[in-house]
Amino acid sequence: MTLKTFSNCLVSVAAVAALAAPAALGAQATPANTLGIPDDVAVIATNETGERRATAIVNGQVITGTDIDQRVALVTSASTNQITDEELQRLREQVLRNLIDETLQIQEARALEMEVTRAEIDSTYENVAAQNFGQETQQMDEYLASIGSSVGSLKRQIHGELAWERILRRNVTPFINVSEEEVNELLQRLEESRGTEEFRLGEIFLSATPENQATVQQGAVQIVEQLRGGGSFVAYARQFSEASTAAVGGDLGFVRAAQLPSELSTVVREMQPGQLVGPVPIPGGFSILYLIDKRQVLMADPRDAILSLKQISIVFEQGLSDAEAAAQVEAFTTGVQSIQGCGAADAVAERLGASIVTNDQIRARSLPEALQNLVLQLQVGQTTPPFGSVEEGVRMLMLCGRDDPQAASGPDFDQMMRQLEDERVNKRAQRYLRDLRNDAYIEYN
């Protein structure tokens, strides 16, 4: 079992368990050498990575190897792939950078007398435990120990997130200004784009400078490999993303391609739900994108239709030959297709030796994706082709009713205002954290 994020997280952990291959990415331009370093640089001495312990002292506060080990365990607990020593070392280095940022955030909150209380941390921890294990926090404690992490490690992460949220709420958000004209202009553009596609995206953003670009890109590649190995996008976004959406598992909500940087909009238009792409180079760093869903702007989504369905199914005796099973499937299919309306379904099913189950309140999008389009193309009284297997039984669905959704109204003025404010808070937050790093005294050993 993997840990879900806080209660306001919108991305499903299960939805990212199996990720499709990425779309082709364009070549990355070589950054300009702004430091005047010669191309034929001669390295005088080297650091042996295997001998260097990934620990640090941040403004006098120690980050230990145990801190790193326990946070790495929290990140990799969902991965089904074997992690090589080289990959693990890169992951540890990335976790160390995140722990440094986390430490700076906690220290800044303390310096501003905005300390997060133990009660607030414990309360949030209990909420996370309730999402994963009901009301039993002890089961959460045991789970963390079983994967090589600890309660203290997760609570430290919670502390950092709450502290940073508090800093931004007092020192950044009040100084963000969005005018009514800007909001109205965006709403008008939204109406003009009615019917075009919009995308619900998960993003992991990693900032980079020309000096560390290659290192950051290498780390991003490793994150993508871990995600494809079964890692939780939500967990990795919370640990590694430097965007403000990290606290909600990287979920950007629904956005139009035109709202994204040009490098991302080109890629997103080619993605399909469930697909992972990245790292994509953008100004200021790299993005890893996961397409959760897509829909048409201000249009009703057919998948939100409420359906009344009858599921008609048969099971097979063991030991049937392929020819016998095929004959039974053909007879079953012919019999079901001959049903004259849903009112006759029960009688015909009984004659065929089939079972029947009725569901009058099922949303189309809750069906397996392979069946959604089939069912949405049916008229009342029609059936899907048979599906299933001889081992598990063969089924057909009959459509008995359909209530189509109302057209989407889109965001209102206040929602659009909040979206613009969040985007600007995110940019200010990145600069704020960069300034904290620049002013910090950090020793590595």
Side-chain angles (χ1 to χ4, degrees), residues 146-166:
S146 72
I147 63 172
S149 189
S150 71
V151 174
S153 181
L154 182 55
K155 285 189 175 182
R156 176 192 168 102
Q157 180 175 331
I158 291 170
H159 187 179
E161 291 179 355
L162 293 178
W164 192 233
E165 179 184 345
R166 186 162 299 179

Side-chain angles (χ1 to χ4, degrees), residues 264-427:
L264 297 184
S265 64
T266 301
V267 173
V268 165
R269 287 188 175 97
E270 303 298 323
M271 293 177 68
Q272 297 301 319
Q275 187 174 356
L276 180 78
V277 167
V280 182
I282 63 174
F286 296 89
S287 281
I288 300 168
L289 297 179
Y290 173 67
L291 183 57
I292 304 166
D293 198 3
K294 65 180 180 179
R295 65 187 183 189
Q296 290 183 310
V297 175
L298 300 181
M299 301 292 286
D301 191 332
R303 293 171 300 169
D304 288 324
I306 303 298
L307 309 176
S308 175
L309 296 175
K310 287 185 181 291
Q311 177 179 265
I312 308 168
S313 57
I314 59 168
V315 294
F316 300 91
E317 297 179 0
Q318 292 185 353
L320 285 179
S321 66
D322 291 343
E324 291 172 327
Q328 288 193 22
V329 171
E330 184 177 357
F332 169 70
T333 304
T334 302
V336 172
Q337 290 176 340
S338 70
I339 298 175
Q340 300 297 313
C342 294
D346 291 272
V348 175
E350 184 177 357
R351 177 169 55 81
L352 295 173
S355 60
I356 189 166
V357 176
T358 300
N359 189 322
D360 290 328
Q361 291 291 319
I362 184 167
R363 196 175 295 273
R365 68 167 64 248
S366 67
L367 296 170
E369 189 172 347
L371 291 176
Q372 289 179 21
N373 290 334
L374 290 175
V375 171
L376 290 173
Q377 293 173 15
L378 298 178
Q379 298 297 324
V380 171
Q382 292 183 327
T383 59
T384 65
F387 57 93
S389 65
V390 173
E391 293 77 14
E392 298 179 358
V394 172
R395 310 173 188 184
M396 297 175 70
L397 296 178
M398 174 176 281
L399 180 64
C400 297
R402 171 173 171 170
D403 294 325
D404 288 314
Q406 298 295 315
S409 59
D412 58 23
F413 183 92
D414 291 338
Q415 290 170 328
M416 183 62 76
M417 175 76 78
R418 286 195 296 273
Q419 180 179 326
L420 284 173
E421 289 173 346
D422 288 344
E423 291 174 359
R424 293 180 185 181
V425 167
N426 183 33
K427 292 179 180 178

Side-chain angles (χ1 to χ4, degrees), residues 55-63 100 107 441-445:
T55 58
I57 302 174
V58 183
N59 295 327
Q61 184 171 341
V62 176
I63 297 174
I100 290 172
Q107 290 175 345
Y441 291 93
I442 303 174
E443 302 176 55
Y444 295 93
N445 53 22

Side-chain angles (χ1 to χ4, degrees), residues 16 53 65 97-98 126 134 206 281 294 308 402:
V16 294
R53 293 181 299 161
R97 289 192 288 272
N98 296 338
E126 289 169 4
L206 304 174
K294 65 180 180 179
S308 175
R402 171 173 171 170

Side-chain angles (χ1 to χ4, degrees), residues 88-389:
L88 184 61
Q89 179 60 31
R90 281 195 287 265
L91 180 59
R92 287 176 60 85
E93 292 169 357
Q94 180 64 57
V95 165
L96 175 59
R97 289 192 288 272
N98 296 338
L99 284 170
I100 290 172
D101 287 347
E102 189 177 280
T103 302
L104 292 172
Q105 291 165 348
I106 293 172
Q107 290 175 345
E108 177 71 356
R110 187 175 295 126
L112 296 172
E113 298 182 352
M114 300 167 63
E115 185 69 50
V116 178
T117 67
R118 177 56 57 185
E120 290 174 304
I121 297 170
D122 291 343
S123 176
T124 305
Y125 179 82
E126 289 169 4
N127 290 337
V128 176
Q131 290 182 6
N132 290 273
F133 300 99
Q135 298 300 317
E136 297 295 332
T137 56
Q138 183 178 352
Q139 292 183 33
M140 174 82 139
D141 300 348
E142 293 170 354
Y143 169 76
L144 292 172
S146 72
I147 63 172
S149 189
S150 71
V151 174
S153 181
L154 182 55
K155 285 189 175 182
R156 176 192 168 102
Q157 180 175 331
I158 291 170
H159 187 179
E161 291 179 355
L162 293 178
W164 192 233
E165 179 184 345
R166 186 162 299 179
I167 291 169
L168 298 182
R169 190 165 59 242
R170 195 183 82 175
N171 287 4
V172 174
T173 303
F175 304 100
I176 298 297
N177 295 312
V178 177
S179 69
E180 292 185 6
E181 290 77 10
E182 290 177 279
V183 176
N184 287 326
E185 182 182 353
L186 278 178
L187 289 173
Q188 182 179 348
R189 290 181 186 174
L190 186 63
E191 181 61 37
E192 292 170 353
S193 65
R194 179 183 292 270
T196 60
E197 285 188 318
E198 61 178 353
F199 309 86
R200 185 178 175 189
L201 289 169
E203 181 192 29
I204 298 174
F205 171 73
L206 304 174
S207 65
T209 63
E211 294 74 32
N212 69 359
Q213 194 167 37
T215 301
V216 173
Q217 183 178 25
Q218 189 177 43
V221 169
Q222 295 304 315
I223 290 174
V224 170
E225 290 178 359
Q226 290 304 312
L227 292 174
R228 293 206 178 98
S232 163
F233 190 95
V234 170
Y236 274 79
R238 285 191 61 202
Q239 291 289 343
F240 298 124
S241 180
E242 296 175 44
S244 62
T245 54
V248 291
D251 189 3
L252 295 177
F254 277 101
V255 295
R256 288 171 291 121
Q259 295 175 270
L260 300 169
S262 58
E263 297 85 355
L264 297 184
S265 64
T266 301
V267 173
V268 165
R269 287 188 175 97
E270 303 298 323
M271 293 177 68
Q272 297 301 319
Q275 187 174 356
L276 180 78
V277 167
V280 182
I282 63 174
F286 296 89
S287 281
I288 300 168
L289 297 179
Y290 173 67
L291 183 57
I292 304 166
D293 198 3
K294 65 180 180 179
R295 65 187 183 189
Q296 290 183 310
V297 175
L298 300 181
M299 301 292 286
D301 191 332
R303 293 171 300 169
D304 288 324
I306 303 298
L307 309 176
S308 175
L309 296 175
K310 287 185 181 291
Q311 177 179 265
I312 308 168
S313 57
I314 59 168
V315 294
F316 300 91
E317 297 179 0
Q318 292 185 353
L320 285 179
S321 66
D322 291 343
E324 291 172 327
Q328 288 193 22
V329 171
E330 184 177 357
F332 169 70
T333 304
T334 302
V336 172
Q337 290 176 340
S338 70
I339 298 175
Q340 300 297 313
C342 294
D346 291 272
V348 175
E350 184 177 357
R351 177 169 55 81
L352 295 173
S355 60
I356 189 166
V357 176
T358 300
N359 189 322
D360 290 328
Q361 291 291 319
I362 184 167
R363 196 175 295 273
R365 68 167 64 248
S366 67
L367 296 170
E369 189 172 347
L371 291 176
Q372 289 179 21
N373 290 334
L374 290 175
V375 171
L376 290 173
Q377 293 173 15
L378 298 178
Q379 298 297 324
V380 171
Q382 292 183 327
T383 59
T384 65
F387 57 93
S389 65

